[in-house]
Amino acid sequence: MRILDKYLYKELTYTLLAVLAVLLLVSFGTETTRVLTMAIEGRIPVNVVFQVLMLKLPAALEVILPLAVLLAVMLAIGRLYQDQEMVVFRSCGIAESYFQKQVAIFLVPWVLITAFITLWLTPWAAQMERQVIEQAQVEAPLAGLVAGRFNVIPNNNGVLYAREIDSNGLMQEVWIRLGEQRGWTVLSAPEGRFELIEGRLALVLLKGYSYEGLKQTDELNVRQFDSLALFLPDFEPGNVRLRKRELTTSTLWQSKEPAHYALLQWRVVLPISILVLGLLALKMSKTQPRQGRFAKIFIAIILYVIYIQLLATTEDALAKEKLSLWIGMWWIPLIFSFFVFTDLGAIKRRLIRKIT
C-alpha cells in the first residue's frame, strides 16, 4: 500500500468515526428522552431502559451510517482541496479516477457492515427488545405499573388501577377489570400486593369485592372476600406474532406479501446507498480556494434527506401495492449514481458551445 493510500484511508477513517459519534449523540439524545418518557409513563420497566436503548442502536445506525459517510467524505476530501493538497496531487499526475477508486475501496467494508446491520442485526435487536421488556415484566411486575393510571395487563387481557404503590409493593385502592376470557369480571379492594404462592405469581387482594356478569344478560353477582389470590399467567411471555421489523431476512425472502418485499428491498438498498452517497460526496467535495470546506454541507444534507424520503415513500408505495414490485427502490440509487459518473459541467459547456 502506497503512502498516499494510507494517508487517504487515515483521513477518511478518523473523519467518519468523528462524524458518526456526533450523529449518534444527537440522535440518541432524542431517543433517550423518548425511552425515559415511556418508562415514566409505565409503558416499559425502568430497570431495562439502558438495554432498550442499546437494542435501538442498530435501527439508528442503518439510517445514520449513510449520512455519516456522506459528510465524512465531503469533509476529508474537502480539506485536501482547501489546503491545496489536491493541487499538488494533480501536478504529480494523479488523476481524479484514483480518488474514486480509493474512496470506493474505503467504502466497501462499511457497505458490508451496513449490510450486516440491516439484514441481520436490526431484526434480531427488535426481537430482543420486545423479549427484554416482556421478561422484565415477568420478573418484576411492579416495574411497569404506575400509580394513578390504568395499566394494561400483558396481552391486553385486562386493566389494573391502583391509587398508590409504595416502595414495598403494597397497593392502595386497587381496581382490576379482567378481560373477556375471565367473563368481564371486576375486582376491587382497599389493599393488594404481588406474592409468589407455590412458585406462581399471584396478586393478593384483601377485603374486597368481585362483580361478575357485567357484560351478560343474566343477573349481576356481587361477592365479598377477605383474601383473594389471583394468579396471573398472562404475565408470562406468550407466543406473540412478530412485528414486521422483527422478521428475519430469510422470512422476508420467502414471503410473497408486498409489505415484506418492500422491507426486504429497504434492507438491501441501504448498504448500496453507502457506496452511492460516498462517491457522490467525493464529487461534491471539490471546492474553490475561497469557498471553504463547509460550503456544500447544507446541500449534501438536503440531498440525503431527499434520498431517504424517496426510499421511505417508495417502500410505503410498494407495501400498499401502489407501485410495481418490479420497479422497486432500485431506481433511486441509479438516479444518484447517474450524477456520480456524469460530468454535468462538461455537458453544460457543450450545450453552450452548440447554442453559441
Side-chain angles (χ1 to χ4, degrees):
M1 183 181 293
R2 294 186 295 181
I3 296 178
L4 181 56
D5 298 344
K6 295 180 180 179
Y7 176 68
L8 284 176
Y9 295 155
K10 180 180 177 181
E11 288 291 322
L12 289 169
T13 301
Y14 287 168
T15 307
L16 177 56
L17 293 178
V19 172
L20 185 60
V22 172
L23 291 177
L24 281 176
L25 285 175
V26 172
S27 64
F28 255 64
T30 304
E31 190 65 30
T32 301
T33 303
R34 192 176 69 86
V35 173
L36 289 176
T37 302
M38 294 171 62
I40 292 173
E41 294 176 351
R43 287 185 283 172
I44 63 173
V46 179
N47 59 329
V48 298
V49 168
F50 180 75
Q51 290 177 275
V52 171
L53 281 174
M54 291 298 100
L55 290 171
K56 288 182 178 294
L57 184 61
L61 278 176
E62 69 179 20
V63 179
I64 291 175
L65 271 174
L67 177 60
V69 167
L70 179 65
L71 296 178
V73 174
M74 286 196 66
L75 291 174
I77 304 301
R79 190 192 66 79
L80 300 182
Y81 281 101
Q82 186 67 22
D83 295 345
Q84 303 301 316
E85 294 182 40
M86 195 63 73
V87 176
V88 177
F89 295 150
R90 295 288 175 81
S91 63
C92 295
I94 299 177
E96 184 178 351
S97 58
Y98 165 81
F99 293 97
Q100 285 186 339
K101 177 182 176 182
Q102 297 306 318
V103 170
I105 294 174
F106 168 77
L107 293 176
V108 167
W110 292 100
V111 171
L112 298 177
I113 292 172
T114 307
F116 171 75
I117 292 173
T118 59
L119 297 177
W120 184 82
L121 191 58
T122 298
W124 173 84
Q127 292 184 29
M128 288 299 299
E129 177 187 344
R130 175 176 52 79
Q131 293 174 9
V132 164
I133 294 174
E134 290 178 349
Q135 189 62 34
Q137 290 175 338
V138 171
E139 296 176 353
L142 288 175
L145 298 180
V146 180
R149 292 178 179 269
F150 291 96
N151 302 274
V152 178
I153 297 176
N155 299 334
N156 294 320
N157 283 329
V159 177
L160 183 147
Y161 172 89
R163 184 174 61 83
E164 293 181 3
I165 304 176
D166 63 16
S167 58
N168 297 322
L170 182 64
M171 296 179 286
Q172 303 290 335
E173 297 186 17
V174 184
W175 180 92
I176 301 175
R177 192 205 72 180
L178 301 177
E180 188 175 1
Q181 295 178 354
R182 303 289 184 90
W184 298 102
T185 300
V186 173
L187 305 172
S188 65
E191 292 184 0
R193 61 180 180 270
F194 283 101
E195 293 183 2
L196 284 176
I197 300 176
E198 298 180 356
R200 296 180 62 189
L201 182 65
L203 175 60
V204 179
L205 302 178
L206 305 175
K207 298 180 180 180
Y209 294 88
S210 68
Y211 305 88
E212 301 177 1
L214 294 176
K215 286 281 186 176
Q216 300 174 3
T217 58
D218 50 352
E219 295 181 358
L220 176 65
N221 296 322
V222 180
R223 299 178 182 178
Q224 185 178 8
F225 56 84
D226 291 330
S227 177
L228 174 64
L230 180 65
F231 291 98
L232 299 173
D234 294 332
F235 275 101
E236 301 176 4
N239 296 323
V240 182
R241 183 179 180 182
L242 296 180
R243 293 171 291 181
K244 189 175 71 169
R245 67 189 184 98
E246 299 178 15
L247 296 174
T248 62
T249 302
S250 59
T251 302
L252 297 178
W253 180 267
Q254 297 172 3
S255 176
K256 295 182 180 179
E257 295 185 20
H260 294 170
Y261 183 81
L263 181 58
L264 177 63
Q265 285 204 15
W266 169 272
R267 293 181 181 178
V268 173
V269 169
L270 279 180
I272 299 174
S273 305
I274 295 289
L275 188 60
V276 173
L277 293 178
L279 293 176
L280 181 62
L282 173 64
K283 190 170 184 178
M284 294 181 61
S285 63
K286 185 176 181 179
T287 56
Q288 301 301 324
R290 297 183 180 181
Q291 198 172 6
R293 293 173 60 188
F294 305 99
K296 298 180 180 179
I297 293 297
F298 179 75
I299 299 175
I301 294 176
I302 294 298
L303 287 176
Y304 168 78
V305 171
I306 293 173
Y307 187 88
I308 291 296
Q309 285 300 317
L310 284 175
L311 289 180
T313 304
T314 305
E315 182 193 6
D316 184 66
L318 290 172
K320 296 179 180 178
E321 299 185 75
K322 295 180 180 179
L323 186 66
S324 173
L325 297 178
W326 293 101
I327 298 176
M329 300 182 184
W330 313 112
W331 61 275
I332 301 173
L334 286 176
I335 289 177
F336 278 75
S337 299
F338 171 79
F339 292 104
V340 170
F341 299 105
T342 303
D343 190 351
L344 297 179
I347 295 175
K348 181 180 178 180
R349 289 191 294 269
R350 291 175 187 173
L351 292 175
I352 293 175
R353 288 176 191 154
K354 291 182 179 180
I355 294 173
T356 56

